[in-house]
Amino acid sequence: MPALDPGVRRAILDAVTALEGESVAALERLVRCPSTLGNEASALEEMARNYVALGLAPRRVPTVPEQLASHPGFSPPLISYEGRDNVVAVHTPREKKGRSLVLQGHVDVVPEGAAEIWATPPYEPSIRDGRMYGRGAGDMKAGDISNVMAFRALQMAGLQPAAEVQFQSVIEEECTGNGALACMLALPKCDAVIIPEPGPGVEGLYTAEVGVIWAWVTVTGRPVHVRDMQAGVNAIEAAYVISQRFKAYEAEMNRAENIHSSFFGVNHPVNVNFGTVQGGEWNSSVPTRAKIGLRVGIMVGNTAKAVKADIERLVAEAAGDERLRGTKVALEFAGFMADPCLFDKESEIVRMVQRHFSEANGRELRDYPASGLTDGRFFELYQSTRVACFGPDADSIHGIDESVGLESFHATTRTIALTMAEWCGVEKA
């Protein structure tokens, strides 16, 4: 497509500026939705209302494990998908002249943790010093609203994309990605994808991301009264023995020879995290059972299949440790079974995003090889569709007092609007 007409460009930028107040209000409404795993309905409804306000007809896309299980990108689910259908909407131009585009984002958020130590309640958005605080404000509800407001800015400028634009609001980016997979497979393939995921304290352009596996290890010991504890087997202590083997594995995976060149300069990119623990029955009883949930990162060049085998080997070796004599050790996989991904920095959509961000905002996006993962992997790995994954600066993602910079939020909206107009072309609304 030809470069944007200067008048069109100015009209779009003026529209984004005029929409700043509306954008902040829309973000506040979405942050108020406590959309943790299994509770995404309110956020999905809010996104459906946003699409209706654009003049689009939202529809639901269910996540059906039986239909996805044979796909290499599928991850074993944690809970039922009933009542949690993804929401999509499609803009169809009068005459298709340009290239099609997906604007995708996830509505799910991680748990807020200890709500009482937040400066303000996690689901009551608060604006302080140019930042909006609230769970999900950065990851990634600001991006969800940027997608909507970028399209709204074109409309305010009297324009609309001259190509198909798919909006996809999905669930479970934080634990499986199955919502994104379901939507990708349910809709026609587009020419490019934009996913406005945040950067960690910077306006980041994702250049690579690790893969992730979630695994769960349950240790059953031998309970006795604490007075006879030497005769029992402490399941919690046994679980700790297993965890130490994974920390040794983590150190090995972070050796220089095991790090892909895309992560050179990143300190400790492969992380093993023990995120949950359940166990024990009584302070004066040797505990019967302990269950630990762990997240294992996968470096580019490795695969989920290979790391799954590593996990199985590590658990089997640990079960044979003398300190675990008399225990039963069970391993299961639920949640992420995700391969790592490289994003094509030389692709046209990425170059276009970089250019528009720089020209509209007077600064550059920073390359970000991520030690976490996004839904972008589905399009890159399984559709060969190029993805521009970038977004605003967010702080304390998954932590306490999560926030997003509002000026950075608007910068993201400007960039998406200009990129959409150039990539898709425009026609009068």
Side-chain angles (χ1 to χ4, degrees), residues 30 50 76 185 274 305 338 350 379 395:
L30 193 57
N50 286 328
L185 296 177
F274 295 90
K305 181 179 180 180
V350 170
F379 300 95
D395 187 47

Side-chain angles (χ1 to χ4, degrees), residues 47-267:
M47 291 306 296
R49 285 190 287 270
N50 286 328
Y51 297 152
V52 169
L54 296 178
L56 303 177
R59 68 181 178 93
R60 300 288 179 156
V61 173
T63 307
V64 184
E66 294 78 13
Q67 297 175 0
L68 304 177
S70 63
H71 193 282
F74 177 71
S75 293
L78 297 164
I79 64 174
S80 168
Y81 289 106
E82 184 176 356
R84 306 166 58 222
D85 292 348
N86 309 281
V87 175
V88 303
V90 180
H91 159 75
T92 302
R94 289 190 302 277
E95 184 180 355
K96 293 184 179 181
K97 298 178 180 178
R99 292 169 290 187
S100 56
L101 183 65
V102 176
L103 298 179
Q104 196 256 36
H106 67 89
V107 301
D108 54 308
V109 300
V110 301
E112 63 272 17
E116 71 276 8
I117 65 175
W118 285 64
T120 51
Y123 299 109
E124 294 180 17
S126 173
I127 296 175
R128 305 191 296 275
D129 299 322
R131 304 188 69 82
M132 183 182 293
Y133 290 81
R135 173 56 86 227
D139 187 16
M140 62 166 292
K141 291 180 176 180
D144 293 328
I145 299 303
S146 283
N147 282 338
V148 170
M149 290 301 168
F151 194 90
R152 179 78 183 92
L154 265 65
Q155 292 178 321
M156 183 175 282
L159 304 167
Q160 64 182 17
E164 180 175 296
V165 176
Q166 298 176 6
F167 291 87
Q168 301 179 11
S169 290
V170 305
I171 63 170
E172 290 201 2
E173 187 270 353
E174 299 287 4
C175 61
T176 67
N178 289 339
L181 178 61
C183 289
M184 184 187 77
L185 296 177
L187 295 172
K189 178 180 177 179
C190 284
D191 296 312
V193 180
I194 289 176
I195 302 179
E197 283 275 12
V202 298
E203 294 160 324
L205 174 73
Y206 286 66
T207 56
E209 61 185 37
V210 300
V212 168
I213 290 180
W214 277 16
W216 310 81
V217 181
T218 302
V219 182
T220 303
R222 186 187 306 119
V224 295
H225 191 287
V226 68
R227 67 190 175 201
D228 300 317
M229 62 184 296
Q230 285 72 26
V233 179
N234 188 309
I236 293 175
E237 292 178 358
Y240 177 76
V241 171
I242 294 173
S243 75
Q244 294 309 106
R245 286 186 176 262
F246 277 94
K247 299 312 285 187
Y249 174 81
E250 177 187 57
E252 175 65 23
M253 291 299 101
N254 281 288
R255 290 173 60 90
E257 61 268 27
N258 293 324
I259 302 302
H260 189 270
S261 60
S262 59
F263 281 85
F264 284 175
V266 177
N267 182 42

Side-chain angles (χ1 to χ4, degrees), residues 22 36 68 76 135 180 182 191 212 215 220 248 268 292 313 330 426:
E22 186 177 329
T36 51
L68 304 177
R135 173 56 86 227
D191 296 312
V212 168
T220 303
H268 209 279
I292 53 175
R313 172 180 55 80
V426 293

Side-chain angles (χ1 to χ4, degrees), residues 207 342-351 380 386-387:
T207 56
L342 285 175
F343 295 104
D344 184 359
K345 286 180 58 179
E346 303 305 316
S347 68
E348 189 176 357
I349 188 66
V350 170
R351 289 295 194 188
E380 287 277 359
R386 299 288 79 90
V387 178

